Amino acid sequence: MKEYTCYTRQGKWKLVADTDIDAMRQALYFCWRDDEDFIRLEFRKGAENYTLSIFHIDNNSHDCFTL
């Protein structure tokens, strides 16, 4: 089990989950249930830390396309 911190416009709170996907599901459910605005989910443990969010940055996108 990993401990995550969920950040919302109304504050922050902790949750525990087995996987990143499960943590995101829980965070979004509780935000929906409690009418909070989800910002991000963070995992921090020692040197391992990362942020989960509901958008994806595509580093492979190009301004021009070739046909």
Side-chain angles (χ1 to χ4, degrees):
M1 298 288 266
K2 295 180 179 178
E3 184 177 276
Y4 298 83
T5 303
C6 181
Y7 291 87
T8 67
R9 292 195 194 282
Q10 292 79 2
K12 67 179 181 177
W13 41 271
K14 296 194 182 289
L15 64 99
V16 177
D18 290 324
T19 65
D20 292 346
I21 293 173
D22 188 36
M24 184 62 81
R25 285 182 186 142
Q26 287 184 45
L28 292 174
Y29 170 75
F30 290 128
C31 285
W32 168 79
R33 184 192 72 179
D34 300 337
D35 198 28
E36 294 190 22
D37 299 318
F38 178 84
I39 297 174
R40 70 182 182 277
L41 195 60
E42 286 186 355
F43 172 75
R44 293 182 176 270
K45 185 172 183 180
E48 183 182 6
N49 55 48
Y50 52 88
T51 300
L52 301 170
S53 60
I54 57 173
F55 65 90
H56 174 74
I57 298 172
D58 185 4
N59 293 324
N60 297 318
S61 65
H62 302 283
D63 292 332
C64 61
F65 300 96
T66 53
L67 299 173

Short mmCIF file of all heavy atoms in Angstrom, two decimals:
data_model
loop_
_atom_site.label_atom_id
_atom_site.label_comp_id
_atom_site.label_asym_id
_atom_site.label_seq_id
_atom_site.Cartn_x
_atom_site.Cartn_y
_atom_site.Cartn_z
N MET A 1 0.84 -1.19 0.00
CA MET A 1 0.00 0.00 0.00
C MET A 1 0.88 1.25 0.00
O MET A 1 1.88 1.32 0.70
CB MET A 1 -0.89 0.02 1.24
CG MET A 1 -1.87 -1.13 1.34
SD MET A 1 -3.19 -1.03 0.18
CE MET A 1 -4.42 -0.23 1.13
N LYS A 2 0.48 2.22 -0.80
CA LYS A 2 1.18 3.49 -0.89
C LYS A 2 0.28 4.60 -0.34
O LYS A 2 -0.94 4.55 -0.49
CB LYS A 2 1.53 3.83 -2.34
CG LYS A 2 2.50 2.90 -3.00
CD LYS A 2 2.73 3.38 -4.42
CE LYS A 2 3.71 2.55 -5.18
NZ LYS A 2 3.87 3.02 -6.56
N GLU A 3 0.90 5.61 0.23
CA GLU A 3 0.15 6.76 0.71
C GLU A 3 0.31 7.91 -0.27
O GLU A 3 1.42 8.28 -0.64
CB GLU A 3 0.63 7.18 2.09
CG GLU A 3 -0.20 8.30 2.67
CD GLU A 3 0.24 8.66 4.07
OE1 GLU A 3 -0.21 7.99 5.01
OE2 GLU A 3 1.05 9.60 4.19
N TYR A 4 -0.80 8.48 -0.69
CA TYR A 4 -0.83 9.58 -1.64
C TYR A 4 -1.44 10.81 -0.96
O TYR A 4 -2.21 10.68 -0.01
CB TYR A 4 -1.71 9.22 -2.85
CG TYR A 4 -1.22 8.05 -3.65
CD1 TYR A 4 -1.51 6.74 -3.27
CD2 TYR A 4 -0.49 8.24 -4.81
CE1 TYR A 4 -1.07 5.66 -4.02
CE2 TYR A 4 -0.05 7.17 -5.57
CZ TYR A 4 -0.35 5.88 -5.16
OH TYR A 4 0.09 4.81 -5.91
N THR A 5 -1.13 11.98 -1.51
CA THR A 5 -1.75 13.22 -1.06
C THR A 5 -2.53 13.80 -2.22
O THR A 5 -1.99 13.99 -3.31
CB THR A 5 -0.68 14.24 -0.59
OG1 THR A 5 0.11 13.64 0.43
CG2 THR A 5 -1.35 15.49 -0.06
N CYS A 6 -3.81 14.06 -1.98
CA CYS A 6 -4.68 14.65 -3.00
C CYS A 6 -4.81 16.14 -2.71
O CYS A 6 -5.13 16.54 -1.60
CB CYS A 6 -6.05 13.99 -2.96
SG CYS A 6 -7.18 14.64 -4.21
N TYR A 7 -4.52 16.96 -3.73
CA TYR A 7 -4.65 18.40 -3.61
C TYR A 7 -5.90 18.86 -4.35
O TYR A 7 -6.12 18.48 -5.50
CB TYR A 7 -3.43 19.10 -4.20
CG TYR A 7 -2.18 18.88 -3.38
CD1 TYR A 7 -1.38 17.77 -3.59
CD2 TYR A 7 -1.82 19.77 -2.38
CE1 TYR A 7 -0.24 17.55 -2.83
CE2 TYR A 7 -0.68 19.57 -1.61
CZ TYR A 7 0.10 18.46 -1.84
OH TYR A 7 1.22 18.25 -1.09
N THR A 8 -6.70 19.68 -3.68
CA THR A 8 -7.90 20.25 -4.28
C THR A 8 -7.89 21.75 -4.03
O THR A 8 -7.05 22.26 -3.28
CB THR A 8 -9.19 19.65 -3.66
OG1 THR A 8 -9.28 20.07 -2.29
CG2 THR A 8 -9.18 18.13 -3.73
N ARG A 9 -8.81 22.46 -4.65
CA ARG A 9 -8.90 23.91 -4.41
C ARG A 9 -9.30 24.19 -2.96
O ARG A 9 -9.03 25.26 -2.43
CB ARG A 9 -9.91 24.56 -5.35
CG ARG A 9 -9.46 24.55 -6.78
CD ARG A 9 -10.29 25.51 -7.61
NE ARG A 9 -10.10 25.29 -9.02
CZ ARG A 9 -9.05 25.69 -9.71
NH1 ARG A 9 -8.08 26.32 -9.10
NH2 ARG A 9 -8.96 25.45 -11.00
N GLN A 10 -9.94 23.23 -2.31
CA GLN A 10 -10.41 23.41 -0.95
C GLN A 10 -9.38 22.99 0.10
O GLN A 10 -9.56 23.24 1.28
CB GLN A 10 -11.70 22.61 -0.72
CG GLN A 10 -12.89 23.13 -1.50
CD GLN A 10 -12.92 22.71 -2.97
OE1 GLN A 10 -12.07 22.00 -3.47
NE2 GLN A 10 -13.93 23.20 -3.68
N GLY A 11 -8.31 22.32 -0.30
CA GLY A 11 -7.30 21.88 0.66
C GLY A 11 -6.57 20.64 0.16
O GLY A 11 -6.47 20.40 -1.04
N LYS A 12 -6.09 19.82 1.10
CA LYS A 12 -5.43 18.58 0.73
C LYS A 12 -5.76 17.52 1.77
O LYS A 12 -6.11 17.84 2.91
CB LYS A 12 -3.91 18.78 0.61
CG LYS A 12 -3.22 19.08 1.91
CD LYS A 12 -1.73 19.24 1.70
CE LYS A 12 -1.04 19.51 3.04
NZ LYS A 12 0.40 19.60 2.92
N TRP A 13 -5.66 16.25 1.35
CA TRP A 13 -5.93 15.14 2.24
C TRP A 13 -5.19 13.91 1.74
O TRP A 13 -4.73 13.88 0.61
CB TRP A 13 -7.42 14.88 2.39
CG TRP A 13 -8.21 14.99 1.12
CD1 TRP A 13 -8.79 16.12 0.63
CD2 TRP A 13 -8.51 13.95 0.18
NE1 TRP A 13 -9.43 15.85 -0.56
CE2 TRP A 13 -9.27 14.52 -0.85
CE3 TRP A 13 -8.21 12.61 0.11
CZ2 TRP A 13 -9.74 13.79 -1.93
CZ3 TRP A 13 -8.68 11.88 -0.97
CH2 TRP A 13 -9.44 12.47 -1.97
N LYS A 14 -5.02 12.92 2.59
CA LYS A 14 -4.25 11.72 2.26
C LYS A 14 -5.18 10.55 2.01
O LYS A 14 -6.27 10.46 2.56
CB LYS A 14 -3.28 11.38 3.39
CG LYS A 14 -2.23 12.46 3.58
CD LYS A 14 -1.10 11.97 4.43
CE LYS A 14 -0.07 13.05 4.66
NZ LYS A 14 0.72 13.41 3.53
N LEU A 15 -4.71 9.62 1.17
CA LEU A 15 -5.42 8.37 0.92
C LEU A 15 -4.39 7.27 0.71
O LEU A 15 -3.24 7.54 0.41
CB LEU A 15 -6.37 8.49 -0.28
CG LEU A 15 -5.76 8.76 -1.65
CD1 LEU A 15 -5.67 7.46 -2.43
CD2 LEU A 15 -6.64 9.74 -2.40
N VAL A 16 -4.83 6.04 0.86
CA VAL A 16 -3.95 4.88 0.71
C VAL A 16 -4.52 3.99 -0.39
O VAL A 16 -5.73 3.75 -0.43
CB VAL A 16 -3.86 4.10 2.04
CG1 VAL A 16 -3.01 2.87 1.87
CG2 VAL A 16 -3.30 4.98 3.14
N ALA A 17 -3.64 3.51 -1.29
CA ALA A 17 -4.08 2.66 -2.39
C ALA A 17 -2.96 1.71 -2.79
O ALA A 17 -1.79 1.96 -2.49
CB ALA A 17 -4.49 3.51 -3.59
N ASP A 18 -3.33 0.63 -3.47
CA ASP A 18 -2.36 -0.36 -3.95
C ASP A 18 -1.62 0.10 -5.20
O ASP A 18 -0.44 -0.17 -5.37
CB ASP A 18 -3.04 -1.69 -4.25
CG ASP A 18 -3.50 -2.39 -2.99
OD1 ASP A 18 -2.80 -2.30 -1.96
OD2 ASP A 18 -4.56 -3.04 -3.03
N THR A 19 -2.34 0.78 -6.10
CA THR A 19 -1.75 1.19 -7.38
C THR A 19 -2.07 2.66 -7.66
O THR A 19 -2.97 3.23 -7.04
CB THR A 19 -2.32 0.35 -8.54
OG1 THR A 19 -3.72 0.63 -8.67
CG2 THR A 19 -2.09 -1.13 -8.32
N ASP A 20 -1.37 3.23 -8.62
CA ASP A 20 -1.63 4.61 -9.03
C ASP A 20 -3.05 4.76 -9.58
O ASP A 20 -3.72 5.75 -9.32
CB ASP A 20 -0.62 5.06 -10.09
CG ASP A 20 0.79 5.20 -9.54
OD1 ASP A 20 0.97 5.21 -8.30
OD2 ASP A 20 1.72 5.29 -10.36
N ILE A 21 -3.48 3.80 -10.36
CA ILE A 21 -4.82 3.87 -10.95
C ILE A 21 -5.89 3.84 -9.87
O ILE A 21 -6.85 4.61 -9.90
CB ILE A 21 -5.02 2.73 -11.98
CG1 ILE A 21 -4.11 2.96 -13.18
CG2 ILE A 21 -6.47 2.63 -12.41
CD1 ILE A 21 -4.08 1.82 -14.17
N ASP A 22 -5.72 2.97 -8.89
CA ASP A 22 -6.67 2.89 -7.78
C ASP A 22 -6.67 4.19 -6.98
O ASP A 22 -7.72 4.68 -6.58
CB ASP A 22 -6.34 1.70 -6.88
CG ASP A 22 -7.40 1.45 -5.83
OD1 ASP A 22 -8.60 1.63 -6.14
OD2 ASP A 22 -7.04 1.08 -4.69
N ALA A 23 -5.50 4.78 -6.78
CA ALA A 23 -5.42 6.05 -6.06
C ALA A 23 -6.16 7.15 -6.81
O ALA A 23 -6.89 7.94 -6.20
CB ALA A 23 -3.96 6.43 -5.86
N MET A 24 -5.99 7.19 -8.13
CA MET A 24 -6.67 8.21 -8.94
C MET A 24 -8.18 8.01 -8.89
O MET A 24 -8.94 8.97 -8.74
CB MET A 24 -6.17 8.17 -10.38
CG MET A 24 -6.75 9.24 -11.25
SD MET A 24 -6.35 10.92 -10.73
CE MET A 24 -4.72 11.10 -11.41
N ARG A 25 -8.62 6.76 -8.98
CA ARG A 25 -10.06 6.48 -8.90
C ARG A 25 -10.63 6.95 -7.57
O ARG A 25 -11.68 7.59 -7.52
CB ARG A 25 -10.32 4.99 -9.06
CG ARG A 25 -10.18 4.50 -10.45
CD ARG A 25 -10.51 3.02 -10.53
NE ARG A 25 -10.24 2.53 -11.85
CZ ARG A 25 -9.73 1.35 -12.12
NH1 ARG A 25 -9.43 0.52 -11.15
NH2 ARG A 25 -9.52 0.97 -13.36
N GLN A 26 -9.94 6.62 -6.47
CA GLN A 26 -10.41 7.05 -5.15
C GLN A 26 -10.44 8.56 -5.04
O GLN A 26 -11.43 9.13 -4.55
CB GLN A 26 -9.50 6.49 -4.06
CG GLN A 26 -9.64 5.02 -3.81
CD GLN A 26 -8.77 4.59 -2.65
OE1 GLN A 26 -8.73 5.25 -1.62
NE2 GLN A 26 -8.06 3.49 -2.82
N ALA A 27 -9.38 9.22 -5.47
CA ALA A 27 -9.30 10.68 -5.36
C ALA A 27 -10.43 11.34 -6.14
O ALA A 27 -11.11 12.24 -5.62
CB ALA A 27 -7.96 11.17 -5.87
N LEU A 28 -10.66 10.90 -7.37
CA LEU A 28 -11.73 11.49 -8.17
C LEU A 28 -13.10 11.20 -7.59
O LEU A 28 -13.98 12.06 -7.60
CB LEU A 28 -11.64 11.01 -9.62
CG LEU A 28 -10.40 11.51 -10.37
CD1 LEU A 28 -10.34 10.85 -11.75
CD2 LEU A 28 -10.40 13.02 -10.48
N TYR A 29 -13.29 10.01 -7.05
CA TYR A 29 -14.58 9.68 -6.43
C TYR A 29 -14.85 10.57 -5.22
O TYR A 29 -15.93 11.15 -5.08
CB TYR A 29 -14.63 8.20 -6.01
CG TYR A 29 -15.84 7.91 -5.16
CD1 TYR A 29 -17.10 7.82 -5.73
CD2 TYR A 29 -15.72 7.78 -3.78
CE1 TYR A 29 -18.22 7.60 -4.94
CE2 TYR A 29 -16.83 7.55 -2.99
CZ TYR A 29 -18.08 7.46 -3.57
OH TYR A 29 -19.18 7.25 -2.80
N PHE A 30 -13.86 10.68 -4.32
CA PHE A 30 -14.05 11.49 -3.11
C PHE A 30 -14.22 12.97 -3.45
O PHE A 30 -15.00 13.66 -2.80
CB PHE A 30 -12.91 11.28 -2.12
CG PHE A 30 -12.92 9.92 -1.49
CD1 PHE A 30 -11.79 9.13 -1.49
CD2 PHE A 30 -14.06 9.41 -0.89
CE1 PHE A 30 -11.78 7.87 -0.91
CE2 PHE A 30 -14.08 8.15 -0.30
CZ PHE A 30 -12.94 7.38 -0.31
N CYS A 31 -13.52 13.46 -4.47
CA CYS A 31 -13.71 14.84 -4.89
C CYS A 31 -15.11 15.05 -5.42
O CYS A 31 -15.77 16.05 -5.11
CB CYS A 31 -12.68 15.23 -5.95
SG CYS A 31 -11.03 15.49 -5.28
N TRP A 32 -15.60 14.10 -6.21
CA TRP A 32 -16.97 14.19 -6.73
C TRP A 32 -17.97 14.13 -5.59
O TRP A 32 -18.88 14.95 -5.51
CB TRP A 32 -17.20 13.04 -7.72
CG TRP A 32 -18.64 12.88 -8.09
CD1 TRP A 32 -19.34 13.63 -9.00
CD2 TRP A 32 -19.56 11.93 -7.56
NE1 TRP A 32 -20.64 13.19 -9.06
CE2 TRP A 32 -20.80 12.14 -8.19
CE3 TRP A 32 -19.45 10.91 -6.63
CZ2 TRP A 32 -21.92 11.39 -7.89
CZ3 TRP A 32 -20.57 10.15 -6.33
CH2 TRP A 32 -21.79 10.39 -6.97
N ARG A 33 -17.79 13.17 -4.67
CA ARG A 33 -18.72 12.98 -3.57
C ARG A 33 -18.78 14.20 -2.66
O ARG A 33 -19.84 14.62 -2.21
CB ARG A 33 -18.30 11.76 -2.74
CG ARG A 33 -19.26 11.42 -1.62
CD ARG A 33 -18.68 10.42 -0.68
NE ARG A 33 -17.63 11.06 0.11
CZ ARG A 33 -16.93 10.43 1.05
NH1 ARG A 33 -17.12 9.15 1.27
NH2 ARG A 33 -16.00 11.06 1.73
N ASP A 34 -17.60 14.80 -2.39
CA ASP A 34 -17.52 15.92 -1.45
C ASP A 34 -17.57 17.28 -2.14
O ASP A 34 -17.36 18.31 -1.49
CB ASP A 34 -16.24 15.81 -0.61
CG ASP A 34 -16.20 14.51 0.20
OD1 ASP A 34 -17.27 13.94 0.46
OD2 ASP A 34 -15.09 14.08 0.54
N ASP A 35 -17.81 17.30 -3.44
CA ASP A 35 -17.90 18.52 -4.24
C ASP A 35 -16.64 19.38 -4.11
O ASP A 35 -16.70 20.57 -3.88
CB ASP A 35 -19.15 19.32 -3.85
CG ASP A 35 -19.52 20.34 -4.92
OD1 ASP A 35 -19.22 20.11 -6.10
OD2 ASP A 35 -20.12 21.37 -4.56
N GLU A 36 -15.47 18.73 -4.27
CA GLU A 36 -14.19 19.42 -4.25
C GLU A 36 -13.62 19.45 -5.67
O GLU A 36 -13.93 18.61 -6.49
CB GLU A 36 -13.20 18.71 -3.31
CG GLU A 36 -13.62 18.78 -1.86
CD GLU A 36 -12.53 18.29 -0.92
OE1 GLU A 36 -11.35 18.29 -1.30
OE2 GLU A 36 -12.87 17.92 0.20
N ASP A 37 -12.78 20.43 -5.94
CA ASP A 37 -12.17 20.59 -7.26
C ASP A 37 -10.78 19.95 -7.26
O ASP A 37 -9.84 20.49 -6.69
CB ASP A 37 -12.07 22.07 -7.62
CG ASP A 37 -13.43 22.74 -7.67
OD1 ASP A 37 -14.36 22.12 -8.21
OD2 ASP A 37 -13.55 23.87 -7.17
N PHE A 38 -10.65 18.83 -7.95
CA PHE A 38 -9.40 18.08 -8.01
C PHE A 38 -8.32 18.87 -8.74
O PHE A 38 -8.57 19.45 -9.79
CB PHE A 38 -9.64 16.75 -8.74
CG PHE A 38 -8.41 15.91 -8.91
CD1 PHE A 38 -7.97 15.08 -7.91
CD2 PHE A 38 -7.68 15.97 -10.09
CE1 PHE A 38 -6.83 14.30 -8.07
CE2 PHE A 38 -6.53 15.20 -10.26
CZ PHE A 38 -6.12 14.36 -9.25
N ILE A 39 -7.11 18.89 -8.17
CA ILE A 39 -5.96 19.52 -8.83
C ILE A 39 -4.94 18.46 -9.22
O ILE A 39 -4.60 18.31 -10.39
CB ILE A 39 -5.30 20.59 -7.93
CG1 ILE A 39 -6.28 21.72 -7.66
CG2 ILE A 39 -4.02 21.11 -8.58
CD1 ILE A 39 -5.78 22.74 -6.68
N ARG A 40 -4.44 17.71 -8.22
CA ARG A 40 -3.42 16.70 -8.51
C ARG A 40 -3.32 15.71 -7.36
O ARG A 40 -3.84 15.94 -6.27
CB ARG A 40 -2.06 17.35 -8.76
CG ARG A 40 -1.42 17.94 -7.54
CD ARG A 40 -0.09 18.62 -7.87
NE ARG A 40 0.55 19.15 -6.68
CZ ARG A 40 0.29 20.31 -6.12
NH1 ARG A 40 -0.64 21.09 -6.65
NH2 ARG A 40 0.93 20.71 -5.06
N LEU A 41 -2.62 14.62 -7.63
CA LEU A 41 -2.37 13.57 -6.67
C LEU A 41 -0.86 13.37 -6.62
O LEU A 41 -0.22 13.26 -7.67
CB LEU A 41 -3.07 12.29 -7.14
CG LEU A 41 -3.25 11.14 -6.19
CD1 LEU A 41 -4.07 11.55 -4.98
CD2 LEU A 41 -3.91 9.99 -6.90
N GLU A 42 -0.28 13.35 -5.43
CA GLU A 42 1.17 13.20 -5.30
C GLU A 42 1.53 11.96 -4.49
O GLU A 42 0.84 11.63 -3.53
CB GLU A 42 1.80 14.41 -4.62
CG GLU A 42 1.87 15.63 -5.47
CD GLU A 42 2.62 16.77 -4.80
OE1 GLU A 42 3.01 16.63 -3.62
OE2 GLU A 42 2.81 17.79 -5.46
N PHE A 43 2.62 11.31 -4.90
CA PHE A 43 3.21 10.22 -4.14
C PHE A 43 4.63 10.63 -3.79
O PHE A 43 5.38 11.06 -4.65
CB PHE A 43 3.23 8.92 -4.94
CG PHE A 43 4.00 7.83 -4.25
CD1 PHE A 43 3.45 7.16 -3.17
CD2 PHE A 43 5.27 7.49 -4.64
CE1 PHE A 43 4.16 6.17 -2.50
CE2 PHE A 43 5.99 6.50 -4.00
CZ PHE A 43 5.43 5.83 -2.92
N ARG A 44 4.98 10.55 -2.52
CA ARG A 44 6.33 10.89 -2.06
C ARG A 44 6.79 9.86 -1.04
O ARG A 44 6.11 9.61 -0.07
CB ARG A 44 6.36 12.27 -1.40
CG ARG A 44 6.09 13.39 -2.34
CD ARG A 44 6.20 14.73 -1.63
NE ARG A 44 6.02 15.80 -2.57
CZ ARG A 44 7.00 16.37 -3.24
NH1 ARG A 44 8.23 15.98 -3.08
NH2 ARG A 44 6.75 17.35 -4.09
N LYS A 45 7.94 9.26 -1.32
CA LYS A 45 8.56 8.35 -0.37
C LYS A 45 10.05 8.32 -0.67
O LYS A 45 10.47 7.77 -1.69
CB LYS A 45 7.97 6.95 -0.47
CG LYS A 45 8.52 6.01 0.59
CD LYS A 45 7.80 4.71 0.62
CE LYS A 45 8.34 3.86 1.76
NZ LYS A 45 7.67 2.57 1.83
N GLY A 46 10.83 8.93 0.20
CA GLY A 46 12.26 8.99 -0.01
C GLY A 46 12.59 9.74 -1.29
O GLY A 46 12.10 10.83 -1.54
N ALA A 47 13.41 9.11 -2.12
CA ALA A 47 13.81 9.74 -3.39
C ALA A 47 12.76 9.56 -4.47
O ALA A 47 12.81 10.21 -5.51
CB ALA A 47 15.14 9.15 -3.86
N GLU A 48 11.81 8.67 -4.26
CA GLU A 48 10.76 8.43 -5.26
C GLU A 48 9.59 9.37 -5.00
O GLU A 48 8.94 9.29 -3.97
CB GLU A 48 10.29 6.98 -5.20
CG GLU A 48 9.26 6.64 -6.24
CD GLU A 48 8.76 5.21 -6.15
OE1 GLU A 48 9.12 4.50 -5.21
OE2 GLU A 48 7.98 4.83 -7.04
N ASN A 49 9.33 10.26 -5.93
CA ASN A 49 8.16 11.12 -5.83
C ASN A 49 7.70 11.50 -7.23
O ASN A 49 8.50 11.69 -8.13
CB ASN A 49 8.43 12.35 -4.97
CG ASN A 49 9.61 13.16 -5.42
OD1 ASN A 49 9.74 13.45 -6.60
ND2 ASN A 49 10.48 13.51 -4.51
N TYR A 50 6.39 11.57 -7.40
CA TYR A 50 5.82 11.95 -8.69
C TYR A 50 4.41 12.47 -8.49
O TYR A 50 3.80 12.28 -7.43
CB TYR A 50 5.84 10.78 -9.69
CG TYR A 50 5.24 9.50 -9.18
CD1 TYR A 50 3.88 9.24 -9.32
CD2 TYR A 50 6.04 8.53 -8.59
CE1 TYR A 50 3.33 8.04 -8.87
CE2 TYR A 50 5.50 7.34 -8.15
CZ TYR A 50 4.15 7.10 -8.29
OH TYR A 50 3.61 5.92 -7.84
N THR A 51 3.90 13.13 -9.52
CA THR A 51 2.58 13.73 -9.50
C THR A 51 1.70 13.06 -10.55
O THR A 51 2.14 12.81 -11.67
CB THR A 51 2.67 15.24 -9.80
OG1 THR A 51 3.49 15.85 -8.81
CG2 THR A 51 1.31 15.89 -9.81
N LEU A 52 0.46 12.79 -10.19
CA LEU A 52 -0.53 12.25 -11.11
C LEU A 52 -1.59 13.32 -11.34
O LEU A 52 -2.01 14.00 -10.41
CB LEU A 52 -1.20 11.01 -10.53
CG LEU A 52 -0.27 9.85 -10.17
CD1 LEU A 52 -1.02 8.80 -9.38
CD2 LEU A 52 0.33 9.26 -11.42
N SER A 53 -2.01 13.49 -12.58
CA SER A 53 -3.05 14.45 -12.90
C SER A 53 -3.96 13.86 -13.96
O SER A 53 -3.70 12.78 -14.47
CB SER A 53 -2.43 15.77 -13.36
OG SER A 53 -1.65 15.55 -14.50
N ILE A 54 -5.00 14.57 -14.32
CA ILE A 54 -5.96 14.01 -15.27
C ILE A 54 -5.75 14.51 -16.69
O ILE A 54 -6.59 14.32 -17.54
CB ILE A 54 -7.42 14.25 -14.83
CG1 ILE A 54 -7.69 15.72 -14.63
CG2 ILE A 54 -7.73 13.47 -13.58
CD1 ILE A 54 -9.14 16.04 -14.35
N PHE A 55 -4.64 15.14 -16.96
CA PHE A 55 -4.32 15.53 -18.33
C PHE A 55 -2.98 14.91 -18.71
O PHE A 55 -2.21 14.50 -17.87
CB PHE A 55 -4.30 17.05 -18.50
CG PHE A 55 -3.21 17.74 -17.73
CD1 PHE A 55 -1.98 17.96 -18.29
CD2 PHE A 55 -3.45 18.16 -16.43
CE1 PHE A 55 -0.98 18.59 -17.56
CE2 PHE A 55 -2.45 18.80 -15.71
CZ PHE A 55 -1.21 19.01 -16.27
N HIS A 56 -2.74 14.84 -19.98
CA HIS A 56 -1.52 14.22 -20.50
C HIS A 56 -0.81 15.21 -21.42
O HIS A 56 -1.44 15.79 -22.30
CB HIS A 56 -1.87 12.95 -21.27
CG HIS A 56 -0.70 12.33 -21.97
ND1 HIS A 56 0.27 11.64 -21.30
CD2 HIS A 56 -0.35 12.31 -23.27
CE1 HIS A 56 1.17 11.23 -22.16
NE2 HIS A 56 0.82 11.62 -23.37
N ILE A 57 0.46 15.40 -21.21
CA ILE A 57 1.26 16.26 -22.08
C ILE A 57 1.90 15.37 -23.13
O ILE A 57 2.64 14.45 -22.81
CB ILE A 57 2.34 17.01 -21.29
CG1 ILE A 57 1.69 17.92 -20.26
CG2 ILE A 57 3.25 17.80 -22.23
CD1 ILE A 57 2.66 18.56 -19.31
N ASP A 58 1.58 15.62 -24.39
CA ASP A 58 2.11 14.82 -25.48
C ASP A 58 3.40 15.44 -25.99
O ASP A 58 3.38 16.45 -26.69
CB ASP A 58 1.07 14.72 -26.60
CG ASP A 58 1.52 13.79 -27.71
OD1 ASP A 58 2.60 13.18 -27.58
OD2 ASP A 58 0.79 13.68 -28.71
N ASN A 59 4.53 14.86 -25.63
CA ASN A 59 5.82 15.38 -26.06
C ASN A 59 6.14 15.00 -27.51
O ASN A 59 7.13 15.46 -28.06
CB ASN A 59 6.94 14.87 -25.15
CG ASN A 59 6.82 15.43 -23.76
OD1 ASN A 59 6.43 16.57 -23.58
ND2 ASN A 59 7.12 14.63 -22.76
N ASN A 60 5.30 14.18 -28.11
CA ASN A 60 5.53 13.74 -29.48
C ASN A 60 4.72 14.54 -30.50
O ASN A 60 4.78 14.26 -31.68
CB ASN A 60 5.19 12.26 -29.63
CG ASN A 60 6.09 11.41 -28.77
OD1 ASN A 60 7.29 11.64 -28.68
ND2 ASN A 60 5.51 10.43 -28.10
N SER A 61 3.97 15.52 -30.06
CA SER A 61 3.15 16.29 -31.00
C SER A 61 4.04 17.20 -31.82
O SER A 61 5.07 17.70 -31.36
CB SER A 61 2.09 17.10 -30.27
OG SER A 61 2.69 18.07 -29.48
N HIS A 62 3.64 17.42 -33.05
CA HIS A 62 4.40 18.26 -33.98
C HIS A 62 3.48 19.36 -34.50
O HIS A 62 2.29 19.18 -34.64
CB HIS A 62 4.93 17.43 -35.16
CG HIS A 62 5.79 16.30 -34.71
ND1 HIS A 62 7.09 16.48 -34.30
CD2 HIS A 62 5.53 14.99 -34.57
CE1 HIS A 62 7.61 15.31 -33.95
NE2 HIS A 62 6.69 14.39 -34.10
N ASP A 63 4.09 20.49 -34.83
CA ASP A 63 3.31 21.61 -35.36
C ASP A 63 2.90 21.37 -36.80
O ASP A 63 1.93 21.94 -37.27
CB ASP A 63 4.09 22.91 -35.26
CG ASP A 63 4.28 23.34 -33.80
OD1 ASP A 63 3.42 22.99 -32.99
OD2 ASP A 63 5.27 24.01 -33.54
N CYS A 64 3.66 20.57 -37.53
CA CYS A 64 3.31 20.31 -38.92
C CYS A 64 3.26 18.80 -39.15
O CYS A 64 3.90 18.03 -38.45
CB CYS A 64 4.31 20.97 -39.87
SG CYS A 64 5.99 20.37 -39.68
N PHE A 65 2.45 18.43 -40.10
CA PHE A 65 2.28 17.01 -40.41
C PHE A 65 2.68 16.76 -41.86
O PHE A 65 2.49 17.61 -42.71
CB PHE A 65 0.81 16.60 -40.22
CG PHE A 65 0.32 16.80 -38.83
CD1 PHE A 65 -0.36 17.93 -38.46
CD2 PHE A 65 0.56 15.83 -37.86
CE1 PHE A 65 -0.81 18.13 -37.17
CE2 PHE A 65 0.09 16.00 -36.58
CZ PHE A 65 -0.59 17.16 -36.23
N THR A 66 3.24 15.62 -42.12
CA THR A 66 3.55 15.25 -43.51
C THR A 66 2.60 14.16 -43.92
O THR A 66 2.27 13.25 -43.15
CB THR A 66 5.01 14.74 -43.62
OG1 THR A 66 5.21 13.71 -42.69
CG2 THR A 66 5.98 15.86 -43.36
N LEU A 67 2.13 14.25 -45.13
CA LEU A 67 1.20 13.24 -45.66
C LEU A 67 1.89 12.37 -46.66
O LEU A 67 2.78 12.72 -47.32
CB LEU A 67 -0.01 13.91 -46.31
CG LEU A 67 -0.85 14.76 -45.38
CD1 LEU A 67 -1.91 15.50 -46.17
CD2 LEU A 67 -1.50 13.90 -44.31
#
